[in-house]
Structure formats: C-alpha cells, structure tokens
Amino acid sequence: MFCYQCEQTAGCSGCTGKMGVCGKSATAANLQDELTGALIGLARASDGNQPGPSAHKAMIEGLFATVTNVSFSDEAIKQQIEAVRREKEALVPQCGQCGTPCVRNDDYDMELLWTADEDIRSLKSLILFGLRGMAAYAYHALVLGYTDEEVNQFFYKGLFAVGEDWTMEELLPVVMETGKVNLKCMELLDKANTTVYGTPAPTEVTLSVEPGPFIVVSGHDLKDLELLLAQTEGKGINIYTHSEMLPAHAYPELKKNPHLKGNFGTAWQNQQKEFDAIPAPVLFTTNCLMPPKESYKDRVFTTEVVSYPQMVHIDDNKDFTPVIEKALELGGYSQTQRFTGINGGNQVTTGFGHGTILSAADQVVSAVKSGDIGHFFLVGGCDGARPGRNYYTEFVKQAPEDSIILTLACGKYRFNDLDLGTIGGLPRLMDMGQCNDAYGAVKVALALAEAFECGVNDLPLTLVLSWFEQKAVCILLTLLSLGIKNIYLGPTLPAFLSPGVLAYLIDNFNIHKASAPEEDLKAILG
C-alpha cells in the first residue's frame, strides 16, 4: 500500500507495508485506490456526456468513502467499485454513434500518480484530496435534499485532470478552482443545515451524563441524529453527541428534543480511551472512526458510508432498533457522571454561527474602532494524536486579552472548555461549529472586510489552522482561492506538499509553518 493523505502518515512521508497508521489494511487501501481509479474512469466516460443523479451519488459516495477513517471494510469498498463501474457502463453508449466503445473509459492506475514527478504528484494530490473533502460536504447536503450541478460537474472535471498527463501550468488552475467550487459547496451545505434545522444560536452544553440508558452519536450527519432522536422519543433513552456532532445542540429543530442531553468525550482521537468502559452504544455517522478495541467493539454501530468489518451497519432504511436495544440492555450509568474537558471545564458553548456573529456586527466594529478588540484569531481545524498539538492550547492561552478567538472543527477540544471572559459584552471564545461550518467563518471575514472597507488580508485577523485529513485540505484551498494570505498551518506540513509546490504556496500566499506560540504571536502582532 501507499497512502500519505492524512497528517498521521508514517514518518511524515507515507504509510506502506501491511497497515496504515489509521488502522486501514493494505487490502483496504489498495481497494480504495481501485475505487479512485474507477471514479476517474467514470469522469472520463462523462466527458461530453451528461451523467445523472445516480452517477452523481456514486461519485460523491465513492470519494467520501476514501476519506481517512471512514471505510475499513473490503466488502463495502468492493460494492462501491461495482456501483461506480455500473454508472460508467451506462454512460459508454453515449460516447458516440459509431458503435465502437470510447477509448477514454478506462479506469486509472493510481500507481501512475504515486510514482509521478514529485511536483505533479503534489498538485494532483491537492486536487484529489480536496475533492474527497468536498465530497463529504456535498454528501451531507445531498442527504438533506440539496444539490448543485456546478459542484457535481466539478467532481468529474477535477478527477479527469488527475488522470491526465498535464503540466504544472495546466494543473495549478484546477487546484485553485477546487477551492473556489468548494466554497460554493460549503455554502450549499450551510443553506441545507439552516433551512432544515434553523439558525444556530449560542448554547451551553453540559459534559455530564445523567443516569439511565443513553446513546452516543459521533460524526457530522445531522439527519441521522434527527432520525435517532425521533426513534428514541419516549423510550427513556438519552442522546449525547460526541466530537464532530457537538454543534447539533445549537440548531433549534434538534435542541428542542429534551432527550438530547449533552456532549460525551472530547476529540475523535481519544475515542479508544473514552469509549473503553462506556455502558452505552456508539453510533458513527461519518468519518473519524478508529478501529474499536475488543472491550467495546460490540457496542459500535455504523451507518451511511462508514463501515468496519464485523460491525453492525444500519442501512439506508434507518432502522436504529439494534442501537436502541443495545442501549436498553447496557442500561447506562447508575448515577450522574461528571466529566470534564481537557482543561477541567464541565461545560462548553457552541452555536456562534455567522448568523449570530453578523447580527452583532455593529457591536464588533465599534469594539474594534474603540480599541477594545485588538485582533481576531481563527484557531481551528482537525485534531489528531501527533505530538505538538498542545501548540493550539498554548496559543489560545497566550493570546492577548484584547483578542477574540473564533474556532471551528474538533481541534477546538484542546481549549473549548476554557473560560476566556468577555470583551465589550462579547465572549472572547466563540465556537462556530465543525469543519462543515467553515463557510460561516469565510462569510464573517468577508463581511468584516466590507464593514471596514478593506481587503480580508488587511483585517486584524489571523488564521491559525491545524490539519489532519482531506476536508481540511479543501478548506485550505478555498482560503487560497479567495486570496487569503499569512495562514499559520501545523502542527506538521502535509507530506504530499513537494518542496516545489510548498515554495509556490509560500511565495504566493505567505503560508507559515506553526512553530512556537510565543514566537508566532510575536510575529503576528509585531
């Protein structure tokens, strides 16, 4: 196998051998390469044709399944390969009237990518991994009935480019377009979430667990949470979010359910420790599943594209009876368990979406002009287990008291239980949601730039981002497509950035590798 798409990749260069650091077997990794090659074949077959909704669904699901920590199941990946090839075969007859199959329908051999010139490989990896991340956002919007044809068509265009023998000059515009289209995709998902579940509002969420049966729900899929809440209503079962699902508490249509009680645990990489003795089942709705330990694997359930060998999978009929029965069987805790965050706090606050922040825009602008607010930091991104991630905790702790900390995604669990106080009636720490909600941060930045009649790069705003997997990649590309500069990225730089491509990003966007909090703060603030 060869895989270097996530931050934990072996030796910061690539996972090889029999198993990846994520726990994915070489067989599964090679099948995911085969699936990617089939998706490129589908993109080739679509050239000059009009793939329909079923092809779009196969494309989006296939790309999403190859995101880190989603699918570990050989059989599930094989079924997706078959589905993609069926869609390709359906398009082949459209390739001309001559009766001869088009020669551009062949699947792509991913070995050609992994052994390509390092700069070409790097640019194609940025496109491919960006598309995988964007597919996750498109998938969540699709589940709620929202889709966009421009976004759908770009999956084919981007994958077609990955399969072509193009130069750097030809690939660079596709890299930037990936970021541009992802902005539209994130806007689509934001519209889907807020239309279906309402505008998020600041909400305090307890980290304690009440006595009695309960279910922990992890991942990003709000629809699955909605369905589970409906099926557990009146059954004496409480529901707790985990990691990426925390922002669900801020949506009016979800928080109105009295048995949606609180949040269990911290970020995804701690699940093997936190789930070890939990007397309740855990439902994984999207990515960030780690190989379950023997001590709790009988309590793990998957749904959607998440899959793991020998785990009970809830299919598209969405009958959560096995999860409910397991919760009743285990019974939960006999008395209230008072858990805390990493820094000892017993509650966290979420729900500072763009609707909330922009509703206080006049207050924000006034506080900046009066000097009460000196700087904004967006400290967010994916969390992970690699040493050095305490950088983000220390950065937030050392940030000056006249600064506002905006945060996104599960990296916030490093510091979201801290009490940083307020500035001019505004909380210093504002949780804007998950990586799925990154559109909100972009919208706030653009609105502030308009209010101050300047460019985004002229704002007293610095982005300090942690990365782990492919959704962080497409968000970074979106920021670059908007011309945003001086981003601090860490804790390590992606293995798929070749020296040449990294030099291009530094020269054109002034990207910085995170070093030490005190040094970076000094450089930022002068």
Side-chain angles (χ1 to χ4, degrees):
M1 68 175 289
F2 176 77
C3 184
Y4 68 167
Q5 70 175 357
C6 80
E7 185 260 349
Q8 67 185 354
T9 194
C12 293
S13 60
C15 291
T16 58
K18 296 182 179 180
M19 183 172 290
V21 174
C22 68
K24 183 171 53 187
S25 70
T27 303
N30 291 329
L31 282 170
Q32 289 190 352
D33 272 359
E34 185 178 347
L35 173 57
T36 303
L39 288 166
I40 293 175
L42 176 58
R44 288 170 167 174
S46 71
D47 188 27
N49 298 305
Q50 294 296 323
S54 62
H56 298 337
K57 186 172 184 289
M59 173 65 75
I60 291 169
E61 286 186 350
L63 282 168
F64 191 9
T66 59
V67 169
T68 304
N69 292 73
V70 174
S71 183
F72 296 79
S73 168
D74 296 353
E75 288 306 310
I77 302 170
K78 288 176 182 177
Q79 290 174 14
Q80 287 175 319
I81 293 171
E82 292 172 1
V84 170
R85 287 177 175 158
R86 284 196 300 270
E87 293 297 334
K88 183 180 76 170
E89 290 168 4
L91 285 176
V92 170
Q94 303 178 36
C95 290
Q97 304 300 319
C98 63
T100 302
C102 175
V103 297
R104 295 297 294 159
N105 293 326
D106 55 312
D107 290 357
Y108 180 69
D109 181 358
M110 291 294 287
E111 191 66 19
L112 296 174
L113 173 56
W114 307 140
T115 58
D117 167 84
E118 65 175 1
D119 289 337
I120 297 298
R121 181 177 74 164
S122 184
L123 290 177
K124 287 188 174 183
S125 294
L126 279 169
I127 296 168
L128 175 60
F129 302 156
L131 290 172
R132 287 176 174 176
M134 184 164 66
Y137 300 138
Y139 182 91
H140 296 311
L142 182 62
V143 166
L144 296 176
Y146 286 76
T147 186
D148 181 273
E149 194 59 23
E150 179 184 350
V151 172
N152 290 337
Q153 290 298 331
F154 185 74
F155 288 121
Y156 302 90
K157 179 179 180 179
L159 284 180
F160 186 88
V162 172
E164 293 300 288
D165 187 19
W166 286 1
T167 64
M168 287 187 66
E169 290 72 21
E170 292 172 302
L171 290 169
L172 273 169
V174 184
V175 172
M176 291 297 107
E177 190 177 0
T178 304
K180 179 181 177 182
V181 176
N182 183 60
L183 178 62
K184 186 167 188 176
C185 186
M186 290 194 298
E187 181 181 14
L188 178 73
L189 178 56
D190 179 80
K191 180 181 179 181
N193 285 338
T194 54
T195 301
V196 175
Y197 299 114
T199 300
T203 303
E204 292 184 353
V205 183
T206 180
L207 302 181
S208 296
V209 178
E210 296 180 8
F214 67 101
I215 297 170
V216 175
V217 185
S218 190
H220 306 77
D221 204 293
L222 299 180
K223 184 65 176 180
D224 283 324
L225 177 60
E226 176 196 356
L227 294 173
L228 182 63
L229 286 167
Q231 292 182 36
T232 51
E233 185 177 4
K235 289 185 168 62
I237 299 174
N238 290 328
I239 306 298
Y240 292 83
T241 57
H242 169 260
S243 195
E244 294 87 355
M245 194 62 79
L246 171 62
H249 292 275
Y251 287 94
E253 289 302 310
L254 295 173
K255 68 188 292 186
K256 71 181 183 182
N257 293 276
H259 58 305
L260 178 60
K261 290 292 186 177
N263 191 74
F264 176 86
T266 53
W268 69 272
Q269 77 275 3
N270 300 320
Q271 64 189 259
Q272 290 180 328
K273 176 178 65 176
E274 293 175 344
F275 293 164
D276 190 46
I278 182 176
V282 182
L283 174 66
F284 280 89
T285 65
T286 57
N287 53 308
C288 298
L289 168 67
M290 296 180 72
K293 295 170 64 175
E294 285 292 326
S295 60
Y296 67 87
K297 72 177 185 179
D298 64 321
R299 290 171 271 144
V300 175
F301 297 81
T302 61
T303 192
E304 301 295 338
V305 295
V306 191
S307 188
Y308 196 89
Q310 301 178 344
M311 298 291 102
V312 175
H313 186 79
I314 307 300
D315 62 22
D316 291 346
N317 291 326
K318 297 299 179 184
D319 181 357
F320 290 111
T321 298
V323 189
I324 293 169
E325 290 178 344
K326 179 61 72 171
L328 293 171
E329 172 193 333
L330 294 170
Y333 295 109
S334 59
Q335 57 186 358
T336 298
Q337 302 294 302
R338 303 191 184 282
F339 297 104
T340 65
I342 290 176
N343 302 287
N346 55 21
Q347 68 178 28
V348 295
T349 302
T350 190
F352 288 95
H354 61 84
T356 295
I357 295 177
L358 293 181
S359 69
D362 291 343
Q363 186 178 356
V364 172
V365 172
S366 176
V368 173
K369 290 182 176 179
S370 68
D372 290 339
I373 297 177
H375 207 86
F376 295 90
F377 294 101
L378 174 61
V379 185
C382 313
D383 206 357
R386 189 183 294 278
R389 286 182 177 268
N390 61 318
Y391 167 93
Y392 300 94
T393 309
E394 292 306 312
F395 189 99
V396 169
K397 287 181 177 179
Q398 295 179 34
E401 292 185 0
D402 66 347
S403 63
I404 293 282
I405 309 295
L406 304 174
T407 188
L408 280 164
C410 55
K412 65 173 170 277
Y413 280 101
R414 296 275 171 173
F415 50 81
N416 69 337
D417 62 325
L418 291 171
D419 182 1
L420 300 182
T422 62
I423 297 178
L426 297 167
R428 282 195 59 219
L429 177 60
M430 300 186 192
D431 175 13
M432 300 187 71
Q434 273 310 110
C435 59
N436 290 25
D437 304 300
Y439 170 74
V442 171
K443 189 167 183 176
V444 166
L446 295 176
L448 287 176
E450 182 178 352
F452 285 107
E453 299 181 345
C454 66
V456 174
N457 292 314
D458 299 316
L459 288 170
L461 168 68
T462 303
L463 278 62
V464 184
L465 306 179
S466 58
W467 84 281
F468 177 79
E469 43 89 297
Q470 298 74 65
K471 287 186 285 185
V473 174
C474 66
I475 290 172
L476 176 63
L477 294 182
T478 293
L479 297 173
L480 300 183
S481 75
L482 291 168
I484 295 176
K485 299 182 178 182
N486 296 308
I487 297 170
Y488 283 73
L489 183 65
T492 57
L493 294 178
F496 51 81
L497 285 182
S498 67
V501 171
L502 178 59
Y504 173 86
L505 295 177
I506 292 173
D507 290 345
N508 288 273
F509 299 99
N510 202 25
I511 285 182
H512 305 267
K513 181 185 180 297
S515 56
E518 55 275 12
E519 293 176 9
D520 291 342
L521 280 165
K522 184 177 180 180
I524 293 167
L525 299 174

